[in-house]
Amino acid sequence: MNKSQLEILEAAADCFANYGADAVSIDDIARHLHATKGRIYHHFRSKSELLCAVRMRSVSLMFDQIAPIVDSIDDPLEAMKKMAFTHVQLILGHHSFHRVVSEDFRVFFNRSTTPDERRQIQEIIDKRTAYENLFREVLRKGMKSGVFAERPISLTVHSLITLLNSPSIWYSPRPNQTQDDRDVIARDLAQMALGALGVKDA
């Protein structure tokens, strides 16, 4: 993805997150970007395609950062600590993208009927499932070794990710907020998540 496409996605994510996908038009995104509609249509054929790209960008950012942690850290507790912390960092650092993903997109996409739109939606679902499977892998290992409490895997994964995703709803970026400030939020929330897994003094 080139610089121009990323700039368009960032502008679209801001608009979708602030006003809702249904209320936002390509004209709105172009004004936010201080560009013409033609620049957007050069890269994205429709608002639906643009919204799909924003959602895929959000999930891909997560997957690309978390997958190497799973591959490189064998200890399930240490892996989960870093996964939870990194997940929240990404939520805070790319808030608009993840705010869009946190909202239920089925209502918007129920109007999508073209094969290409259905393909894009399925790609997002598949990527999100692959991301959840990274957590499943570490949770299974941790439950087997006794590090985490034995609980149904799917229930645990969905509850854990919902907790880690919560800043997408309540967090509001502030101009004077530093990376250290965001790291404190990420550490605290990661510790809460580990506590929910049955880890004491995480």
Side-chain angles (χ1 to χ4, degrees):
M1 186 170 293
N2 61 41
K3 181 180 177 182
S4 182
Q5 289 171 319
L6 285 175
E7 289 174 348
I8 293 169
L9 287 186
E10 288 171 359
D14 286 343
C15 290
F16 291 145
N18 290 329
Y19 307 111
D22 280 341
V24 171
S25 68
I26 293 293
D27 284 311
D28 295 324
I29 297 168
R31 279 193 294 271
H32 187 76
L33 188 61
H34 302 295
T36 64
K37 289 193 297 183
R39 179 182 171 190
I40 296 173
Y41 282 124
H42 179 72
H43 297 286
F44 302 97
R45 292 170 294 180
S46 66
K47 186 175 81 169
S48 175
E49 182 175 312
L50 187 52
L51 182 54
C52 279
V54 167
R55 293 186 182 281
M56 179 59 82
R57 173 71 174 164
S58 171
V59 180
S60 295
L61 281 168
M62 291 288 193
F63 186 90
D64 292 347
Q65 291 293 316
I66 298 297
I69 296 173
V70 177
D71 291 339
S72 63
I73 302 178
D74 189 58
D75 179 78
L77 178 56
E78 291 305 313
M80 187 58 70
K81 282 181 180 179
K82 190 166 184 180
M83 291 165 71
F85 177 75
T86 302
H87 181 107
V88 180
Q89 276 188 319
L90 289 167
I91 293 284
L92 301 178
H94 303 274
H95 186 258
S96 292
F97 283 90
H98 301 300
R99 179 65 179 269
V100 174
V101 171
S102 72
E103 298 171 354
D104 187 354
F105 62 92
R106 287 174 297 178
V107 174
F108 180 81
F109 281 126
N110 276 343
R111 297 194 298 274
S112 300
T113 57
T114 69
D116 191 52
E117 286 171 334
R118 289 194 292 273
R119 176 189 58 77
Q120 291 176 57
I121 294 166
Q122 190 58 53
E123 286 177 354
I124 296 168
I125 292 170
D126 291 345
K127 192 74 170 183
R128 185 171 59 187
T129 300
Y131 183 67
E132 291 171 355
N133 285 340
L134 296 174
F135 282 83
R136 284 188 174 88
E137 178 182 340
V138 176
L139 284 168
R140 285 194 182 97
K141 187 185 296 184
M143 289 180 186
K144 184 176 181 180
S145 66
V147 173
F148 306 137
E150 284 278 356
R151 296 190 179 103
I153 287 290
S154 289
L155 174 64
T156 305
V157 168
H158 291 136
S159 299
L160 177 66
I161 292 179
T162 297
L163 174 60
L164 297 176
N165 281 341
S166 63
S168 66
I169 299 170
W170 52 256
Y171 173 73
S172 295
R174 298 193 303 272
N176 61 339
Q177 196 167 45
T178 66
Q179 183 60 52
D180 287 342
D181 294 330
R182 290 191 290 270
D183 286 349
V184 169
I185 296 173
R187 278 193 295 269
D188 286 347
L189 199 53
Q191 188 170 14
M192 291 180 198
L194 289 167
L197 295 177
V199 179
K200 296 181 180 179
D201 300 323

